[in-house]
Amino acid sequence: MNTAYLQALEFTFSVTAPVFLIVFLGLYLKRKQHINDEFIGIASALVFNICLPTLMFLSILNSGINLAEQARLAIFAALAAIISFYSFWWLSPLLTQDPQDRGVAVQSAFRSNLGIVGIALCAKAYGGPGLAVGALLLAVVTPIYNILSIYALTKSLRQNEKLQWHRLFLDIIKNPLIVSIACALIGLAMGWQLPAILDETGRYLGSMTLPLALITIGGSLSLSALKKASSLSAYTVFAKLVLLPAAVTLAAWWYGLSGVELGCLALMFASPTAAAGFVMVRAIGGNHQLASNTIALSMLGSAISISLLLYLLRLNALA
């Protein structure tokens, strides 16, 4: 039994420690002014528009996964995202009486940082198969996150304003990640194989993705936001890091998922609040301070919560 505990502990730290050390390296580099906001902005755009789409495309195309066999996983992930949103939406009046904070809190509680932290953890924990499954989950859940986040913010901040569904749909289908994953799924179904030169070039670009993305996440963290964190921020982060991953993981296990699928699903939903949520809240005129607080708190807290979740999964030989 002691050996099992030690092996589970060793596996857990081998996955989570490198990821969060690079995040904290980004925080250190920003504080020492080795990087600045301009660098973070340019690097984030490079990751979002070029590097991450390339990584996702190659991960799926070269994975050899059977799309028909992954249908159960895709359906479960979509339902988990939708049910978690409406659960937090219905419960949110218990946390705040301010209708304008309702949408911000709900978005922060249900929306995970899939494209950076989640993918990095899947890749570190399960290698190539983890990247492929993570990319598939990203493709399924990202549009749902975008639609429901805009709905929540519009409903709470601009209660008399109608959603412009056509514009939202266009934004989703033009998202570089969605485009790259859709192309990869088509290529996988048709048996595409890239020329060696293009494949190797893509691997160079893809290898930049995770370290550069994690450094920008760390550089974007605001320690001053932590000093202004409210009780609403703390409750929201508890829901994000504890309630959501526990519920999704248990439901997935009951549903019959196991191994890489269960592990990647748990890691994705356990990831901290998506940094993109701050941009969306600020653009729509919401409480961006609350959004900033929850992002910072969830990023720091997830180093512990994700490690504990992964440790329990490994100890019980579930993933």
Side-chain angles (χ1 to χ4, degrees):
M1 183 62 71
N2 289 335
T3 302
Y5 277 115
L6 291 175
Q7 289 177 343
L9 195 61
E10 181 182 4
F11 174 77
T12 299
F13 283 110
S14 72
V15 172
T16 58
V19 171
F20 288 102
L21 283 175
I22 296 178
V23 170
F24 294 136
L25 174 62
L27 177 62
Y28 171 81
L29 293 175
K30 176 67 182 301
R31 288 178 63 84
K32 292 298 183 179
Q33 299 183 340
H34 295 303
I35 60 176
N36 55 24
D37 290 332
E38 183 180 4
F39 170 85
I40 292 170
I42 294 172
S44 297
L46 178 63
V47 167
F48 180 76
N49 292 303
I50 305 295
C51 297
L52 186 55
T54 301
L55 178 64
M56 296 297 94
F57 178 83
L58 291 177
S59 298
I60 292 178
L61 190 64
N62 297 328
S63 66
I65 61 174
N66 188 314
L67 296 179
E69 293 178 357
Q70 299 298 328
R72 291 181 72 250
L73 174 64
I75 292 170
F76 180 88
L79 289 175
I82 294 170
I83 292 172
S84 63
F85 168 78
Y86 281 106
S87 298
F88 288 135
W89 182 258
W90 290 326
L91 292 172
S92 59
L94 299 176
L95 297 180
T96 176
Q97 300 302 314
D98 187 343
Q100 293 192 340
D101 286 347
R102 185 183 181 191
V104 180
V106 170
Q107 181 192 225
S108 299
F110 96 100
R111 187 174 186 175
S112 301
N113 194 328
L114 305 180
I116 298 177
V117 178
I119 284 292
L121 290 167
C122 290
K124 182 62 181 167
Y126 303 107
L131 261 178
V133 172
L136 185 66
L137 292 171
L138 184 67
V140 172
V141 176
T142 297
I144 296 173
Y145 277 172
N146 288 339
I147 292 171
L148 294 180
S149 293
I150 292 175
Y151 170 81
L153 294 173
T154 302
K155 189 74 173 176
S156 60
L157 296 173
R158 302 175 183 175
Q159 300 182 27
N160 297 322
E161 182 177 314
K162 293 184 178 179
L163 287 176
Q164 297 180 337
W165 292 105
H166 64 285
R167 181 178 297 178
L168 178 58
F169 177 74
L170 288 175
D171 287 342
I172 289 173
I173 64 174
K174 291 190 297 184
N175 185 308
L177 292 176
I178 300 300
V179 171
S180 69
I181 292 171
C183 290
L185 291 174
I186 293 172
L188 182 64
M190 298 181 65
W192 291 353
Q193 188 170 1
L194 289 180
I197 293 177
L198 291 180
D199 186 71
E200 189 67 18
T201 302
R203 291 180 187 277
Y204 284 144
L205 282 173
S207 64
M208 295 169 53
T209 304
L210 299 180
L212 187 58
L214 293 172
I215 285 175
T216 61
I217 284 288
S220 302
L221 282 178
S222 173
L223 294 181
S224 61
L226 297 178
K227 300 176 183 178
K228 303 175 183 177
S230 63
S231 58
L232 178 58
S233 300
Y235 292 139
T236 300
V237 170
F238 178 79
K240 176 71 200 70
L241 299 183
V242 179
L243 298 183
L244 176 61
V248 170
T249 303
L250 288 173
W253 172 75
W254 176 82
Y255 184 68
L257 297 178
S258 61
V260 175
E261 290 184 348
L262 178 61
C264 288
L265 190 74
L267 290 173
M268 284 294 213
F269 279 88
S271 297
T273 300
F278 173 80
V279 178
M280 191 177 289
V281 170
R282 191 156 195 169
I284 205 170
N287 187 346
H288 62 272
Q289 187 65 60
L290 174 61
S292 177
N293 291 349
T294 54
I295 290 169
L297 276 173
S298 67
M299 177 59 72
L300 295 176
S302 64
I304 299 172
S305 62
I306 291 175
S307 296
L308 180 59
L309 174 64
L310 192 59
Y311 173 73
L312 291 174
L313 286 173
R314 188 71 172 185
L315 185 63
N316 292 283
L318 296 176

